[in-house]
């Protein structure tokens, strides 16, 4: 009986300690990447505002698990993607997984007419709850999402510059 009590108290203590430690971590995590594209902003905007165009520059969009419903809605495996806002300088979308986790993706376009370059800045933002395992897992977001974003932005650059 003593061992069981010790084990329960130890588990509770570790949980409290982990919760206190992870409370120092931010509740909002942003992963961001950018690239310079030698093409006008409207040429880049055409490729990012329509989900049907994403198959030309995002790896895996031609996969059989991808169901593009419309220009603003798609299902990528177990994730629902919806474009929620489009302007001349930004495209915002929500990415909701089956278990309800939500990420907001924003692609900002900054055009420099003097240099004929469009800077495409892509970011994912995720709000975390107080659970220690969620905050600890978010530490890996940059390592997981970042390389995928870099590769896809490189693909976007190639397709946009090829047609201009």
């Amino acid at each position: 009986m003593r061992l069981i009590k010790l084990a329960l108290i130890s588990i509770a203590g570790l949980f409290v300690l982990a919760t206190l430690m992870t409370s120092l971590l931010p509740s909002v995590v942003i992963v961001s990447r950018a690239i310079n594209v030698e093409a006008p902003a409207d040429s880049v905007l055409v490729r990012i505002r329509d989900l049907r165009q994403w198959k030309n520059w995002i790896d895996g969009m031609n996969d059989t698990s991808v169901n593009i419903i419309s220009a603003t809605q798609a299902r990528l495996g177990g994730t629902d993607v919806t474009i929620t806002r489009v302007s001349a300088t930004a495209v915002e979308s929500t990415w909701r997984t089956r278990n309800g986790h939500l990420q907001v993706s924003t692609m900002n376009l900054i055009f420099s007419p003097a240099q004929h370059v469009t800077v495409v800045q892509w970011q994912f933002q995720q709000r975390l709850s107080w659970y220690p395992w969620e905050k600890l897992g978010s530490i890996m977001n940059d390592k997981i999402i970042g390389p995928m974003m870099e590769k896809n932005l490189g693909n976007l650059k190639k397709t946009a510059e090829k047609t201009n």
Side-chain angles (χ1 to χ4, degrees):
M1 186 65 174
R2 247 171 146 178
L3 237 55
I4 293 173
K5 255 171 113 173
L6 179 63
L8 290 175
I9 291 171
S10 297
I11 290 171
L14 285 173
F15 180 77
V16 169
L17 182 64
T19 302
L20 289 173
M21 287 176 57
T22 57
S23 69
L24 299 173
L25 296 175
S27 293
V28 176
V29 176
I30 297 175
V31 178
S32 179
R33 296 293 188 270
I35 195 165
N36 293 339
V37 179
E38 293 179 15
D42 57 344
S43 174
V44 177
L45 185 62
V46 167
R47 289 167 174 75
I48 64 174
R49 73 174 177 207
D50 186 344
L51 289 172
R52 295 172 293 205
Q53 294 290 321
W54 286 18
K55 65 182 176 185
N56 298 322
W57 61 277
I58 291 185
D59 285 343
M61 286 294 288
N62 292 319
D63 193 80
T64 57
S65 66
V66 174
N67 180 19
I68 299 175
I69 301 163
S70 68
T72 59
Q73 281 191 306
R75 173 164 282 170
L76 312 177
T79 303
D80 292 326
V81 179
T82 304
I83 293 180
T84 55
R85 185 178 65 88
V86 176
S87 72
T89 59
V91 174
E92 187 175 285
S93 60
T94 58
W95 297 56
R96 185 176 303 277
T97 62
R98 279 189 198 135
N99 55 6
H101 290 279
L102 179 72
Q103 289 187 335
V104 177
S105 168
T106 307
M107 290 182 237
N108 294 305
L109 303 176
I110 304 160
F111 183 63
S112 171
Q115 299 174 351
H116 302 296
V117 170
T118 301
V119 177
V120 181
Q121 187 266 334
W122 188 9
Q123 73 178 27
F124 277 94
Q125 176 180 326
Q126 181 180 13
R127 295 195 179 280
L128 305 170
S129 56
W130 63 272
Y131 304 122
W133 51 87
E134 211 173 284
K135 287 197 172 186
L136 287 173
S138 73
I139 293 171
M140 295 303 294
N141 276 7
D142 191 65
K143 299 286 186 238
I144 295 169
I145 298 173
M148 175 269 311
M149 292 170 70
E150 289 171 9
K151 184 174 184 183
N152 291 328
L153 284 172
N155 293 341
L156 175 64
K157 177 182 172 86
K158 286 178 195 169
T159 61
E161 290 177 351
K162 187 180 350 176
T163 58
N164 286 320

